Amino acid sequence: MSLDKLDIQEDYRSDRDNLIQDFYIPCLERTTVYSRAVGFFSSFSLIAISIRSWKEGEQTRVQRKVEDFQRLWSNKTSKVEVVDFPEAATRSLLRYRPSSPPEYEEIDAGIGRGWRLKETGKSYRIQRNTLKVELRPLQVDAGEAFKRANYRGILAMATGTGKTLTALACATRLDCLDLIIIGVPTKELANQWDEEIKTKTSFRSPIIATGRAEHWREILFRKLRLIYHQELPRERLPVIVVGTYSELSKSIVADLINDAGGLPERSLLIADEVHATGAEVYRRILREDFCYRLGLSATPIRPYDEEGTGVVLDYFGGIVYEFTLEDAIAAGILCEYDYYVYVTALSEEEHEKFQQLTAKIAASLNKDDRDRTHHLTIQRAKIIKSATAKINILDRILNDYPPQQAMIYCADIEGATQISYRLAQRGFNVARYSSQDSDRKKILANFASGYLDALVAVKCLDEGVDIPSVHQAIILASDATERQFIQRRGRILRVAPKKSVATLIDVLVVPPLQDESVKLIESEIQRIKLFARSAHNRTSVIINLIEELKYYGITYSDLI
């Protein structure tokens, strides 16, 4: 019997037919050749074979199809269960539920009582935000001080004492945090925070707010919306953002947060180098709806900016913990250092320009012209920073102390280029490190590995560079701000193998001998006094300087 003699139905349905017995077996019993093909129907083919209810003889077939669909839709088809999609999803999720419901425990969330899941066994494993490293006693003490201050305050800790890790430890004490925003001055510091978070904590990777703005802002907005609608699981919190002040303080970021529903109730602001937030351009980041506020800095006070300093201290709640450089050296956290000062003089031409600017500054002060006074003061300071004698005295310094992983600070990029060339001529492996150098990451890697004898920079090495093996710093130029030269000293004081005492070399510019006025070197003397006070060779530094500066009326009392 051939296939065309079989009673084959127009369609087969599993609810009323046995497809194997009624179709496959009868057909295969009479088959002599079996060929299998794979293909597809075009839209034209589908139209050609589609149901045509208007064609004579097919109305019955169409009606049967309609009735079959109605029974299926009404959940009346045998061997089939129709389930709404939400219910189907619920059933799938419930397969993973534990045998008993979760228990909760009451906690002190810092802003009132709160609740969290209680870990009662293997059924509920709650991810706790913890540190992966052990804290030093000073870091524990700093965390306790922050807690006693109701999670608001500034930690004034010397450079190199572990402020970053201390801040992350403070964050882990807040179990119910929804959001952490970490502000930093530079991209290099943002990258360091990113690395510390990933390697030393169990926090999730942060959003880095330094690259393509539209990319990280979109991610942040989505996360904030999920938090606002309570749709982000607790184990995925807190959301962490690490960004530069220049990015985070923009009005578009403030608008983004507001559009997302505002800051979550339990949000923490960590401000690294917190003094920077006192600048008017960055104050937008100091939102009043941050419940928790932590500032970090070796020098929280802003020089010559009483208003900015007041803003910082008032917003964060003042300094709640302090650990000085002398404390760190005594505790063995930072290494000791020897301090050497080389004295050189302005040229006659430079001294004349300095005197002319001094007279103009006096005139502008009498007219109460603050902007002009500020501009003239900067011009006068540049004469000291760029004194030609500093280049010449560098040869003496290099003879006395050949650079060994040394950081050399210059007045400007032009000077850094000139000094780099001078060192290279003497056979040293050296690299310039400035905002104009795009391969800074590679330069730092070469320096850290010991391939380079020195890095020559302007300001890029002040913050965000942490290379413990650095042995020397040569300060050919420095601002009058205490914060800057403290940061520069801190770069060489990290403890490292085979490094017992670091070397700090400073250059003091004085007026020609016929001018006995000490006005020129007042700010320079303050830096020398500060550096000498904590130096390993403190007494010999002062004795040697008195001999060279006695013509300017400098006494022992001025340097102690």
Side-chain angles (χ1 to χ4, degrees):
M1 182 185 293
S2 59
L3 289 175
D4 60 355
K5 302 298 183 181
L6 287 177
D7 185 17
I8 298 177
Q9 301 173 194
E10 292 179 337
D11 61 355
Y12 291 86
R13 290 181 58 86
S14 59
D15 60 316
R16 61 170 177 253
D17 299 309
N18 188 324
L19 191 61
I20 295 176
Q21 294 295 330
D22 298 342
F23 177 74
Y24 284 115
I25 292 178
C27 288
L28 291 173
E29 283 179 343
R30 293 163 177 79
T31 299
T32 58
V33 177
Y34 174 65
S35 297
R36 186 170 182 268
V38 177
F40 67 93
F41 290 108
S42 68
S43 58
F44 179 81
S45 301
L46 290 173
I47 293 171
I49 64 172
S50 63
I51 297 173
R52 296 167 292 180
S53 60
W54 61 89
K55 187 173 179 62
E56 185 179 356
E58 292 196 4
Q59 289 89 346
T60 302
R61 181 186 175 200
V62 171
Q63 184 60 35
R64 187 169 65 250
K65 292 286 186 183
V66 172
E67 292 172 356
D68 288 341
F69 179 78
Q70 290 296 341
R71 282 198 302 272
L72 179 65
W73 187 259
S74 303
N75 198 21
K76 295 178 180 179
T77 302
S78 61
K79 302 179 184 179
V80 176
E81 180 185 8
V82 178
V83 182
D84 290 339
F85 180 78
E87 183 181 351
T90 301
R91 290 184 185 182
S92 297
L93 290 172
L94 288 176
R95 291 203 303 268
Y96 300 100
R97 72 185 186 278
S99 56
S100 59
E103 297 180 18
Y104 291 85
E105 60 184 352
E106 189 175 12
I107 63 167
D108 183 357
I111 57 172
R113 307 303 292 178
W115 298 87
R116 69 179 173 194
L117 284 174
K118 183 178 181 181
E119 191 168 1
T120 56
K122 294 184 179 179
S123 298
Y124 288 93
R125 298 182 62 187
I126 307 304
Q127 177 68 40
R128 301 283 175 82
N129 293 315
T130 58
L131 292 177
K132 299 178 182 178
V133 295
E134 187 175 350
L135 294 175
R136 296 185 179 124
L138 81 100
Q139 295 168 322
V140 174
D141 292 343
E144 290 294 331
F146 182 59
K147 180 182 179 181
R148 288 194 300 270
N150 293 321
Y151 302 103
R152 291 190 180 188
I154 295 172
L155 307 182
M157 300 168 62
T159 301
T161 54
K163 294 189 293 294
T164 302
L165 189 59
T166 303
L168 293 174
C170 290
T172 62
R173 299 173 72 104
L174 296 162
D175 288 328
C176 294
L177 275 180
D178 295 319
L179 175 69
I180 303 174
I181 292 184
I182 302 170
V184 297
T186 64
K187 291 182 180 180
E188 285 81 4
L189 265 178
N191 293 334
Q192 284 193 20
W193 273 90
D194 180 33
E195 184 67 19
E196 291 280 288
I197 290 169
K198 290 176 179 176
T199 59
K200 297 182 180 178
T201 78
S202 64
F203 285 121
R204 289 180 170 267
S205 297
I207 300 169
I208 305 300
T210 60
R212 292 173 52 194
E214 65 276 9
H215 177 67
W216 67 260
R217 287 175 191 166
E218 176 63 26
I219 295 174
L220 176 58
F221 181 79
R222 291 201 308 267
K223 297 278 189 182
L224 290 175
R225 290 297 295 169
L226 288 172
I227 296 173
Y228 181 78
H229 291 290
Q230 299 181 351
E231 294 176 355
L232 204 59
R234 173 51 56 185
E235 60 268 19
R236 295 177 63 185
L237 294 172
V239 171
I240 303 178
V241 183
V242 181
T244 57
Y245 291 126
S246 59
E247 284 292 325
L248 295 177
S249 60
K250 289 180 178 177
S251 59
I252 192 171
V253 177
D255 293 340
L256 179 152
I257 293 173
N258 294 334
D259 290 344
L263 283 178
E265 183 180 14
R266 296 181 176 89
S267 296
L268 166 66
L269 171 64
I270 298 177
D272 197 2
E273 306 300 347
V274 67
H275 46 266
T277 63
E280 190 170 355
V281 68
Y282 294 150
R283 292 179 193 176
R284 190 179 284 109
I285 197 175
L286 305 179
R287 296 175 60 107
E288 287 302 321
D289 44 355
F290 273 110
C291 178
Y292 310 114
R293 306 169 186 178
L294 175 60
L296 309 169
S297 182
T299 52
I301 308 302
R302 293 177 57 82
Y304 315 115
D305 185 4
E306 296 295 327
E307 179 188 352
T309 298
V311 168
V312 172
L313 296 177
D314 290 344
Y315 179 82
F316 287 93
I319 297 172
V320 299
Y321 182 79
E322 188 168 7
F323 197 83
T324 66
L325 181 125
E326 288 78 13
D327 294 332
I329 292 176
I333 297 170
L334 299 179
C335 73
E336 294 186 308
Y337 68 95
D338 283 329
Y339 181 46
Y340 302 98
V341 181
Y342 287 74
V343 179
T344 188
L346 288 176
S347 66
E348 292 291 343
E349 183 181 356
E350 289 168 338
H351 183 240
E352 183 178 350
K353 288 182 179 178
F354 186 91
Q355 295 291 61
Q356 291 172 353
L357 286 170
T358 299
K360 291 179 180 179
I361 289 171
S364 64
L365 284 172
N366 290 335
K367 296 178 181 179
D368 198 23
D369 189 343
R370 295 185 180 182
D371 290 340
R372 177 168 172 75
T373 300
H374 179 68
H375 177 69
L376 292 171
T377 302
I378 291 175
Q379 282 189 306
R380 187 176 66 175
K382 285 182 178 179
I383 295 176
I384 302 294
K385 291 169 66 175
S386 305
T388 55
K390 290 184 176 183
I391 304 295
N392 297 328
I393 206 171
L394 180 62
D395 288 328
R396 272 183 56 198
I397 296 173
L398 297 178
N399 289 335
D400 295 341
Y401 303 98
Q404 298 177 341
Q405 281 190 290
M407 292 180 172
I408 303 177
Y409 294 94
C410 305
D412 50 41
I413 292 179
E414 182 181 353
T417 304
Q418 184 179 357
I419 289 170
S420 298
Y421 179 72
R422 195 153 187 158
L423 266 71
Q425 281 187 315
R426 295 192 51 159
F428 296 110
N429 289 328
V430 62
R432 191 187 71 176
Y433 187 81
S434 73
S435 58
Q436 294 184 1
D437 297 302
S438 58
D439 55 347
R440 285 187 294 179
K441 189 174 183 179
K442 182 178 179 181
I443 292 172
L444 280 183
N446 289 337
F447 184 57
S449 66
Y451 176 74
L452 296 175
D453 298 311
L455 282 187
V456 183
V458 184
K459 290 186 177 181
C460 291
L461 292 175
D462 287 353
E463 297 171 339
V465 176
D466 186 5
I467 303 176
S469 57
V470 175
H471 279 69
Q472 293 174 304
I474 301 174
I475 302 178
L476 296 177
S478 179
D479 290 343
T481 58
E482 180 178 330
R483 179 178 66 254
Q484 187 194 72
F485 49 75
I486 283 179
Q487 291 281 3
R488 291 179 172 182
R489 176 180 60 180
R491 301 275 78 83
I492 64 169
L493 300 186
R494 267 68 167 180
V495 175
K498 300 180 182 180
K499 175 184 172 184
S500 56
V501 179
T503 301
L504 178 62
I505 299 168
D506 205 350
V507 177
L508 172 64
V509 178
V510 297
L513 286 178
Q514 65 266 29
D515 187 345
E516 297 181 1
S517 171
V518 77
K519 292 286 185 182
L520 173 63
I521 58 175
E522 280 183 345
S523 62
E524 303 277 287
I525 290 295
Q526 290 304 313
R527 181 180 74 251
I528 289 171
K529 181 177 178 179
L530 180 75
F531 282 172
R533 185 176 62 198
S534 305
H536 180 247
N537 60 337
R538 175 175 179 266
T539 302
S540 61
V541 172
I542 294 174
I543 291 173
N544 291 336
L545 278 174
I546 290 300
E547 184 63 28
E548 292 200 65
L549 299 177
K550 60 185 178 182
Y551 299 102
Y552 302 97
I554 301 297
T555 66
Y556 288 107
S557 299
D558 295 319
L559 297 177
I560 296 176

